[in-house]
Amino acid sequence: MTDFACAVFVREGFVLLVMRAPHKAWYPNCWDLVGGHVEPGESVEAALVREAQEEVGLTPLQFRWIAELSEPETSGNPPARYHVYAVTEWDGGEPTLLGDEHTAMQWVTSAQVSILEGLAHPQYSNVIRDLLVGHM
């Protein structure tokens, strides 16, 4: 089972999404949350901070767990768990795309997430909606 740490960066009613690069094995060209694999011996929280630093140059300071999602059976990917955290405070200012994992990023509202084509995980829109309307 592969574990992923996923950051929902939240700012003034918007969340940060990143577009996965076309060369990625899992969900190429899909909008995704910042995050990635939990390395062996690493905690999910440590992976969350590391991945955010590596992908968008932000260091999560204030975050809380909001959901655990399973890999959809229809995806064709191996079994996985997505540990989703709301990140409400961070260091590093504005996000910047680093490396070659993503090709774009944008701050979006819950309504925009719900109509986006190509969201990496089908349950992301529900998690983000519930978070932004105060149910999480």
Side-chain angles (χ1 to χ4, degrees):
M1 173 86 60
T2 302
D3 285 296
F4 292 93
C6 305
V8 182
F9 284 91
V10 181
R11 179 174 73 187
E12 299 170 359
F14 290 81
V15 297
L16 182 66
L17 294 181
V18 289
M19 173 66 76
R20 293 178 60 79
H23 70 270
K24 299 302 290 178
W26 293 44
Y27 303 107
N29 298 310
C30 286
W31 287 105
D32 201 0
L33 301 174
V34 171
H37 291 86
V38 177
E39 301 292 340
E42 183 179 42
S43 72
V44 175
E45 292 82 7
L48 179 81
V49 171
R50 177 183 53 76
E51 289 285 346
Q53 291 170 333
E54 291 174 358
E55 293 182 4
V56 293
L58 301 179
T59 302
L61 300 174
Q62 188 84 15
F63 53 89
R64 62 185 172 85
W65 178 90
I66 56 171
E68 181 179 303
L69 307 175
S70 297
E71 181 66 28
E73 292 181 16
T74 56
S75 73
N77 293 324
R81 284 186 300 242
Y82 297 85
H83 305 273
V84 184
Y85 289 78
V87 180
T88 54
E89 190 178 320
W90 57 86
D91 213 7
E94 287 298 311
T96 304
L97 285 180
L98 303 173
D100 67 349
E101 291 189 41
H102 304 103
T103 58
M105 68 178 164
Q106 65 177 332
W107 291 97
V108 297
T109 65
S110 174
Q112 290 169 315
V113 170
S114 67
I115 60 170
L116 270 179
E117 294 291 325
L119 200 55
H121 196 290
Q123 292 178 347
Y124 281 166
S125 60
N126 292 336
V127 169
I128 290 167
R129 181 194 66 233
D130 289 349
L131 174 65
L132 292 179
V133 298
H135 294 299
M136 291 187 153

